[in-house]
Amino acid sequence: RLFAPAWVARQALAKGTVLQPAHLMQAEVDLAASADPAYTNAAPAIGRALARPLLAGQALRRSDLRARQFFQAGDLVRVVAVGAGYAISVDAHAVSPGVEGQPARVRTESGRILSGMPTAGRRVEVTL
């Protein structure tokens, strides 16, 4: 067991609820109770929707939130290629949707297909 302050639901919250600061409070949580990490900082969770209901006092964990969709297929996106000590960017069109945590495919103006990780609104990072 490993107890530390983390964010929990202040009251029962339904699936789909978009989290606001008033929905959460800090409490002592057993961080080791699940392999899924509990939120010790509420800021990344605010404004995101719940993927499942939470009971009052239940710790907010990463899998409790829906993955964000940063862009849709067909959207113009910024591709940033990151290497050791440099970064290059170019515009491209999304071939697949940009969902948090899932690779997305984009097509450059030259027709080349690249795969990278969506990191923000209309942004894909490719590691070289």
Side-chain angles (χ1 to χ4, degrees):
R1 292 180 177 231
L2 173 63
F3 286 92
W7 292 92
V8 301
R10 188 179 299 273
Q11 70 267 356
L13 299 170
K15 175 182 176 179
T17 300
V18 176
L19 291 178
Q20 302 300 319
H23 292 136
L24 303 172
M25 65 182 188
Q26 275 200 313
E28 288 291 314
V29 172
D30 183 3
L31 298 178
S34 171
D36 190 20
Y39 277 88
T40 56
N41 177 6
I46 301 301
R48 297 196 46 202
L50 289 174
R52 62 183 53 96
L54 283 181
L55 301 173
Q58 185 177 357
L60 178 64
R61 299 189 179 271
R62 193 170 294 161
S63 65
D64 293 330
L65 300 177
R66 287 187 187 154
R68 290 179 277 204
Q69 184 168 344
F70 294 121
F71 53 85
Q72 296 184 17
D75 286 351
L76 183 65
V77 297
R78 180 61 120 185
V79 179
V80 180
V82 180
Y86 68 92
I88 301 169
S89 64
V90 65
D91 287 334
H93 284 90
V95 176
S96 64
V99 178
E100 180 179 36
Q102 298 176 14
R105 295 176 36 166
V106 298
R107 177 177 286 122
T108 64
E109 285 184 24
S110 65
R112 186 170 181 190
I113 301 287
L114 301 173
S115 182
M117 293 302 286
T119 58
R122 296 179 188 243
R123 181 182 165 106
V124 174
E125 284 191 10
V126 176
T127 304
L128 301 176

